């Protein structure tokens, strides 16, 4: 890998194509590249979330998730290759259980707001949902493994739960949607 990244501007993509991990080329507007881009964007947003004040254990878990997302992008980059497994999905299930255990049950919808960390977790959630949709669309057009889709589904759920955890960590609580709130119209 050392020499592969020594030249960033190769100009090979000037014609609107990009290289995949198996050496083939595809259009930069292909379904596969869209899915890879959404996963990459999500990883960047998780990186931004890591700039916030976080519980140390959560920080380490998010760093592991960043590595998973890089692997997931690699799996998408190499048609037919598998990097995300059931153990990755199970780890997210365990994190969901861990962080959801102490939260009060939701009786109302919540707004993507509160502390900056919670709001950034909501951004991660929405980008994860978009990445999931892109992976589903890719899977409808090409054969891909189920685990990346399942991983992204769990991750978006986890980001929702983490937004609630981070609001409490910052000394606040959920910001509830007020159905009957008077609005200026």
């Amino acid at each position: 890998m050392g020499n592969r990244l020594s030249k960033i501007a190769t100009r090979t993509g000037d014609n609107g194509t990009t290289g995949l991990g198996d050496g083939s080329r595809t259009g930069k507007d292909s379904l596969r590249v869209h899915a890879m881009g959404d996963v990459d964007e999500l990883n960047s947003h998780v990186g931004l979330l890591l700039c916030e004040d976080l519980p140390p254990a959560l920080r380490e878990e998010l760093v592991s998730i960043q590595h998973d997302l890089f692997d997931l992008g690699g799996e998408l980059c190499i048609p037919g290759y598998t990097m995300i497994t059931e153990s990755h999905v199970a780890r997210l299930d365990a994190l969901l259980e861990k962080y959801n255990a102490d939260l009060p049950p939701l009786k109302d919808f919540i707004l993507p707001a509160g502390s900056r960390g919670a709001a950034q977790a909501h951004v991660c959630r929405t980008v994860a949902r978009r990445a999931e949709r892109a992976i589903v669309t890719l899977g409808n057009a090409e054969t891909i493994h189920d685990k990346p889709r399942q991983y992204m589904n769990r991750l978006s759920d986890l980001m929702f739960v983490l937004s609630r955890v981070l609001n409490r960590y910052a000394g606040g609580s959920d910001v509830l949607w007020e159905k009957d709130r008077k609005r200026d119209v």
Side-chain angles (χ1 to χ4, degrees), residues 124-134 152-153 156-157:
C124 292
R125 172 186 58 81
T126 60
V127 176
R129 285 287 184 218
R130 179 167 24 97
E132 180 186 9
R133 290 189 302 272
M152 202 57 62
N153 184 278
S156 60
D157 290 343

Side-chain angles (χ1 to χ4, degrees), residues 3-64:
N3 292 333
R4 287 187 64 197
L5 298 179
S6 61
K7 187 175 181 185
I8 300 302
T10 63
R11 296 177 177 73
T12 57
D14 288 352
N15 66 354
T17 65
T18 191
L20 295 178
D22 65 356
S24 66
R25 297 197 68 77
T26 191
K28 290 186 177 187
D29 61 349
S30 73
L31 296 176
R32 186 171 294 278
V33 173
H34 276 283
M36 290 164 32
D38 288 344
V39 170
D40 186 34
E41 182 181 348
L42 174 57
N43 207 344
S44 296
H45 280 293
V46 173
L48 189 57
L49 179 55
L50 284 164
C51 294
E52 298 298 325
D53 178 30
L54 302 170
L58 176 56
R59 178 172 302 286
E60 283 306 308
E61 291 154 350
L62 289 172
V63 169
S64 292

Side-chain angles (χ1 to χ4, degrees), residues 104-140:
L106 277 175
K107 296 179 180 166
D108 296 296
F109 290 108
I110 63 172
L111 297 177
S115 70
R116 197 167 73 176
Q120 182 60 33
H122 276 292
V123 171
C124 292
R125 172 186 58 81
T126 60
V127 176
R129 285 287 184 218
R130 179 167 24 97
E132 180 186 9
R133 290 189 302 272
I135 291 168
V136 167
T137 301
L138 174 61
N140 288 334

Side-chain angles (χ1 to χ4, degrees), residues 39-95:
V39 170
D40 186 34
E41 182 181 348
L42 174 57
N43 207 344
S44 296
H45 280 293
V46 173
L48 189 57
L49 179 55
L50 284 164
C51 294
E52 298 298 325
D53 178 30
L54 302 170
L58 176 56
R59 178 172 302 286
E60 283 306 308
E61 291 154 350
L62 289 172
V63 169
S64 292
I65 287 169
Q66 277 200 300
H67 282 80
D68 291 350
L69 289 171
F70 200 87
D71 290 343
L72 198 155
E75 180 169 332
L76 293 172
C77 183
I78 305 170
Y81 193 64
T82 301
M83 292 186 82
I84 300 300
T85 65
E86 179 59 38
S87 65
H88 292 91
V89 176
R91 185 165 35 84
L92 292 185
D93 282 332
L95 290 174

